[in-house]
Amino acid sequence: MIRDDDHTATDLSHLRGGETARNHDARTIAALTANPGCARRGVMDAAAVDKDAVARHLGFGAPFGQSQFAITRGNAFEAQVKADGCAELLALLRDGLGLDIPEVAYDDLESVGTESREVRHTRTRHLMARALESGEGTMFDHPLLRLDIAGQRAYLEPDVIAFQLGGRFHVVEVKSFAVVDGQAEPEQVAAAARQSAVYVLALRELVAGLGHDPERVSHEVFLVCPENFSNRPTATPVDVRPQLAVVRRQLARLTRAEDIARTMPDGLTFALDEGLPDAVRAVEARYAPECMSSCEMALFCRDEARACGATGTLGRPVRDELGGVDSVVTALDLARGVREPSEDMAETAEQLRVAARLRREALASAPAPAVPPRDTASPLVGVPAHGADVLERTA
Amino acid sequence: MSTLTALAQLEAIAAGRAVPVATVRHCHLSETPLVMIPLKLAGEAAAPLATMLGTDRNAPTLLVVPQPRNRDLRFGYAAELAKAVVEHVEAERGATETLEPSKDGEERFRYERAPQIIVPNRGSVGFLRLLGRSTRFRSTEGPWAVDPAVPMLGRWLTWFADRNDRPGSSVLLTLTETLRMHWATGQSSLEDGNLGALMGWIDPPEGMDGPSAAARAEDPVVSPPAGPATDPTFDNEVLAPAIAAFDESGGEPRAEERIRAAVASQLTPTWDLAWRALDLLRALPEGASVPRRWERDRDSFTYFHREFAESPPQAKLDDAVRAARRLHDLERSQESYEAQRAFDDPLVMAEQRLAGQAFGGVVTEAEPTRLDESGKRPKLRPYVRIRTEDPVRLDEGATVVNAARPGLKGKVVEIDGQDVLLELTGGMGRKLTPEPGVVPEPGQPVVFTSRTADSWGASKFPEREDTPWTHGGPPAEYEPADEDATEVWS
Amino acid sequence: MSTAVSSPAVEANRVVEAVLADLAKDHRGVVVDSPPGAGKSTLVVRAAAHLARAGERLMIVAQTNEQVDDLIDRIATDHPDLTIGRLSAAGYLASERVTAHASVRVALKADDIADRTIVIATAAKWATLTDGSWPWAIVDEAYQMRSDMLLRIAGRFERALFVGDPGQLDPFSTVEVERWAGLSWDPMRSAVSVLLAHNPGLPVHRLPVSWRLPASAAPVVSQAFYPFTGFRSGTGPQDRRLELGAGGMGTSYDRAVEEAAATGWALYELPARHTLRTDGEAVQATAALAVRMLQRGPVAHSERGEAPVGADRIAVGAAHRDQVAAIRLALGPYADDITVDTANRLQGREYDVTVVLHPLSGRRDATAFHLESGRLCVLASRHRHACLVVARAGIPELLDAHPSAEPVRLGVPVKFPDGWEANQAVLARLGEHRIRADS
Amino acid sequence: MSGSPGSSPDVLEERIAELRAAVRRAAAGGDRETARNLRAELRRAEQAWDEAVLGGDPATDSPAPAGAQGNVGGVARGLVPVREQVHQALTVLGVPAAPKLIGAVHGAFFPGEIPATRLTSLRRDEERSFRSAPYARPYYLCAALTADLLAPARGLLTVSTWPLRQRVVGPLSARVDFLTAAIRVAERAEHTDTGRDAGVQRLLWRFAATIPGAAGGTVGTDGAVEPAVVAEAARAELAVHSDADGRDRAAAARRAADALDDAALLFGGGLRVLPRRTGTGDGPGAGADTGDNTTTGAGASPGDTTNRRRR
């Protein structure tokens, strides 16, 4: 929750129309940085609009959701690594980084006896300040960090550990995806790296605010994951400099959302009422299939883009091949030669016409085969008949 | 991606259903493929939940791990799966052909057939690869012994997955990728990754068009995902309570039955889709080079099968020499696969024509008996002039071959607007007059391409034990470790 | 210690001396990073002579036949007393640069030139040898060589000097395979990266001065593409001058040519538009700028003296082969003399003036290919005097819309500079030299 | 509403399929209320199906108590109250410990299991009991206090009868207590000759895996961990930390004794928000830590709850 007393000049909270602000965390901030130049998403994020609620209200709820098996596994692994004063993590750091035996201090920054974020953040600052000056402390669990997002103060409550080694801090992120023979899913590692970069940035701001060199927070973070098919943790260093650069640049861009918001009709808000569809449509989207994995609005925007026949729904490579042509109908008309291309489309049109001719020729030379009739015996869906062949036990 | 495929996708949108991007089938399809639809437990690297498999569409086998976190149940499942896979492998061998001995006099054999596994998508391949990795090092003796079939399964799955990396191989096919090679839909590649949505465009059910069938396939409640991941709401609302009940009952058969029924409901629709997809692919005529590529698959299978008993499990990681060799093999396969597809299929050749690397047209003039007498001996060098509408982007002097008869080679002499003058240089016989019918005659349609089908020869690599110092010197030999046998399975 | 900053020549020479000194020590390998035009070939020639005179037989590995012939010409010219053998494949026709030297013998088999002090061939040719060994090798353009190639030839030498430019294009493969990602011997990585991963103790030197890039270009290229190592220009702002002999007609082409002559850079900006790769207007403008430059009778004044800039001293670069083909077509008869090529093929070459079609011009989306920093680095660092870039407006917005969100593979060293950052840096600089196209 | 035991299997199957779909849609759409209702109905239908098709015996089908993985240990769960079980385990350990470790220790040395769900509410129950009738019980299971803020340390349980310095935790205490626990567990294993029991071995492994030298020389024989080796290794590392930790704890204990009232001493004072503010709004630690932020006390408003994300 973003506190109302933290408003600044570039506040867009009025756009929420009284709805609850979405709580930013490293994942949502990391998602901001993967925004492919979409004004709609930019404005909604900058105003901390709950995009999930908006999408649902519009009838396009995002099919995001996690299996409880995955959640349980994630929580169990993290608890295991952090159990008993991070005993397992300590063993990893000792083996892998040559951490000295006396370096075992563990501070849980969440243990302040209150849920107040201000208090917890103050404690984080206090202990970090002490650590920066005296070198005291090794592992700091649950630091509460702050980051300005488009002029608004967001709190980050990472489940990470800031770990001090040789006067520098490293972010330790625990993830439950497996590292098999030294390799992990590149997308999952990338997501973890982006999140870690947000923490590094927030930690650096805190360190700079305390009058120290922000470089004392290392760009090298440690990813702790299960090794192979076991529950044994393994730590892998990840250099997040590229992610840091992107996060920084994209956060700086977010303030531009204000300019876009100004072009919205007066009084329009993203409140969950009958005006919502108009408000959403008032800000242009830049839909690409990649949005499906990172933005709650994706299904709505896809529907919108399909409805107006945008070539972008087919993916960026397709749109790229079609040069400047944005519309499916236009591209097809050009290919069929039924529309006279404007000068700027002449080349694309020529290319499409040749492509159409080549397709025609090739298909004529080898007519497509008849589709075999459907086997009517096999039912398409439904609960299988119990006791049927399907259930013949073999295991 | 090319403008040609992009255009096909636009046509699919306009038509409301998928359109062909190939005129022939570019993969081998076995008479009796083993269709496998694996599911895994969310949040785990390779904890199997269930697999539906079989070679008879009307009699699938369903293997389920009622509690995926229980080691005994998992290995029981692995042993069952192993038996099914190994049985298929053994059944698909056929007779053994004896080939000409190799240059150094070694006997060579080739099995008449080879096994083929069909899975829904790329994720399934990744899962089978991990399953292979997690089972092939298991020990069959000592305190952590598993059924001897388990490590065999691991080695076979690893072979299938490795083979899948190779362009043009058909022993392990993913349906989404194979279908996409033959049809273009009106949705993006991301959405095509959903087998149900892809099939919805290619073969919409009665009364539906592509978009509505695809939309229906995107509802996980109506159309379960093709795996290996399950839908989260299925996990939370159906599977988790069923597994909890199984635990509480202490493994009671009827609690297990309920899990099996729930899992079957998620697998059956995909099972049916998979066989339907195979019907569609089978209806396409086979490309001319497909048997040749399948022969390579059979060679690999023969070798792996014959050496199986004597070989250790495949290494966890390729060493430097193995990696370089493999990359080299893959690049060669890629090169010849691309070329072969173009020669087999005018729609693929059209890509080269659109890119200006090939051109097609009608012969307007021919001098079939022209001789080049500038050298010591006269050479047969017929001239052929071709009128083309294609955007030719070839330099003068470029070498081209005839698409219909790659043996016929030529050289671009000049390009003048829509006219290309070729000098034919080879593939016309040894005499000073060409074999009849070889030199294209005026009025005949022809296609020439600058991309040839000849693959470059195999390169030489040092032996493993001669790995140079630049690459860390010879690697250590693999020693089976207890760790590999005990490694808790997620 | 002298208090003033040492002169570029002194500084550069100090590094070269250090490299030669290291050759005499016990290292199995020595690596020299060379930014664009920093005297890499000069170093190779010197090191070859140095080793030969110390009585060592040596082999030289280059990546293309062109590079092999260039090196032969330079070594034979500077050191006519050294016997050189050129190993070649069957179809190779010795160029005049090679046949002109009496000390050079060309052969298909290594046995035929076993007596030669220096044997030179391409890496591909070396890889066909299965025996024979040389006490020393010099590997040129080592960052452009894939590690699997090094694996195949490393058995031929005991010790080696690796020279190359880390900022240029990485080697690539036609297949996408992830199974080796993160391995220190990944066959797709560059030879140098694998070498250093396995031999972390090897000395790495950096040539500190670019003799090619003018004072106007060195800082831009250095900051954008070599952010952690850096280099400087060997010449000062006054040392290079491009004079235009003929007057212009005030068109935007003329103004762009004038801006480039005066400042070393020009950005010729066409109106924003999404286009095909072979954007006709941009292709036309690229060709026209090259021709106009030639027509203006440019004369280059530099530390080498005064010389007219002929067509052979002008190059045009683009990202894709179809663009190159289209530009050649647009150049008409000029294409015979003006070099037009892709970034990959322009690597290692040097001209007085270059005209570049910006890889991101007219694109709706930026892909990893177009953002690859090496591509832009090659294109922006081939010139001794001036570089003209043709682009459609809107590239900064395009970059903003495509923050790099690349997958991350464990154990794979982060590639610097990030192409996205490098592109932003170069554009920021080019923006100061913008000429809008006449509409 | 169908789902009654009398329906035919076919009807029930259809009904189950419908209900499953409806539950999943409701859950995916974030409609928790509907999902809950449908879920209950679904369970009834499934139950009915079981009975109709598989001939269920409702008597054996009543859900077993949570946490039953087959009745390990089998004996008389429920005879020993949970707080008693926890007390037993904590007495073995002798240091503040997390529920997981407490459960593992109890499982290794005593019959019966501690139901994990009960542990989460235990401390709150104890606090309520103490506040309504102070010192009515011989001991209370209470919080460990953080050395700087004297706030309750998250997730740690202690026994009220322990000396205060044993109940206060500083930065080094997590490690010190872990090593101490290892020593005490190993010693008990030796005394009671239970070192080879599966549960004790698992526990010892857990310690040995992260203490340098503790697993040394044991792997490869029969894979067992030697209690004496674990204790020895733990003592060696403990020697490195114990002095500094002791000083921290003693100082903090003195401060706590001066600053906190009885309840706060047991259950944590500092900035903890109690039903009625007890004037401990600024603990000594927080007082020293004004930093640049003066809103420390105000931040403790009850409405400011967090909404923590969990993976």
Side-chain angles (χ1 to χ4, degrees), chain A residues 208-255:
Chain A
L210 291 167
H212 294 273
D213 179 5
E215 291 292 315
R216 286 185 68 179
V217 181
S218 172
H219 57 253
E220 189 173 65
V221 305
F222 291 95
L223 197 56
V224 175
C225 297
E227 185 173 31
N228 298 342
F229 307 96
S230 72
N231 285 323
R232 263 196 321 270
T234 177
T236 317
V238 178
D239 184 338
V240 298
R241 272 179 290 178
Q243 288 78 17
L244 267 174
V246 173
V247 169
R248 240 189 250 119
R249 209 179 262 273
Q250 294 293 99
L251 286 183
R253 280 183 76 235
L254 275 182
T255 43

Side-chain angles (χ1 to χ4, degrees), chain A residues 358-360 362-363, chain B residues 4 20-23 342 345-351:
Chain A
L358 289 172
R359 256 188 80 72
R360 248 189 341 265
L363 284 169
Chain B
L4 222 52
V21 288
T23 62
D345 187 342
L347 257 183
V348 180
M349 184 59 84
E351 307 266 8

Side-chain angles (χ1 to χ4, degrees), chain A residues 32-33 201 242-256, chain C residues 396 399-404 418-426 428:
Chain A
L32 295 186
T33 66
L201 192 65
Q243 288 78 17
L244 267 174
V246 173
V247 169
R248 240 189 250 119
R249 209 179 262 273
Q250 294 293 99
L251 286 183
R253 280 183 76 235
L254 275 182
T255 43
R256 272 191 230 166
Chain C
L399 284 172
D400 266 354
H402 292 84
S404 58
D418 181 47
W420 192 69
E421 290 282 306
N423 263 293
Q424 301 264 25
V426 171

Side-chain angles (χ1 to χ4, degrees), chain A residues 63-70 72-73 176-178 180-181 183 227-232 287 289-290 292-293 299 302 306 310-311 313-315 317-318 321-322 327-328 331-332 335-336 350-352 354-359 361-363 365-375 377-384 386-387 389-395, chain B residues 1-4 6-11 13-14 19-21 23 41-46 52 57-58 60-64 69 80 130 133-134 185-191 203-206 216 218 222 232 235-236 239-240 243 256-257 260-261 264-265 268-269 272 276 279-280 283-285 316-317 346-347 350 353-354 389-391 483 487-490:
Chain A
F64 295 129
Q66 258 192 308
S67 163
Q68 57 172 273
F69 299 119
T72 309
R73 160 89 167 145
S176 65
F177 57 80
V180 178
D181 298 332
Q183 296 183 330
E227 185 173 31
N228 298 342
F229 307 96
S230 72
N231 285 323
R232 263 196 321 270
Y287 171 78
E290 290 77 16
M292 300 285 268
S293 59
L299 281 176
R302 183 180 74 171
R306 279 181 174 172
T311 53
T313 60
L314 294 173
V318 177
E321 282 300 333
L322 297 172
S327 135
V328 173
L332 278 172
R336 292 171 184 145
E350 176 58 22
Q351 172 97 345
L352 282 168
V354 175
R357 176 178 58 78
L358 289 172
R359 256 188 80 72
E361 278 180 29
L363 284 169
S365 72
V371 173
R374 198 184 289 281
D375 177 9
S378 58
L380 252 178
V381 258
V383 178
H386 294 276
D389 288 349
V390 175
L391 294 172
E392 190 190 356
R393 283 202 55 188
T394 38
Chain B
M1 177 50 56
S2 73
T3 309
L4 222 52
L7 177 66
Q9 292 202 257
L10 299 180
E11 287 176 3
I13 291 181
V19 299
V21 288
T23 62
L41 189 72
E44 311 274 345
M52 188 172 271
R57 71 198 307 166
N58 295 314
T61 300
L62 177 66
L63 302 175
V64 176
R69 294 204 167 92
E80 294 293 338
L130 279 181
R133 163 65 180 82
S134 71
T185 69
Q187 59 189 1
S188 74
S189 61
L190 183 109
E191 286 128 350
D203 183 35
E206 206 68 44
R216 184 169 177 271
E218 283 185 356
V222 180
D235 283 3
N236 297 342
L239 187 59
I243 291 181
E256 182 176 341
E257 204 53 39
R260 294 176 60 82
S265 75
T268 311
D272 293 336
R276 178 68 186 155
D279 289 345
L280 298 176
L284 291 166
K316 288 180 188 169
L317 299 169
L347 257 183
R353 291 171 64 180
L354 188 62
E389 293 176 64
D390 294 355
E483 198 186 64
E487 201 164 73
V488 186
W489 197 2
S490 69

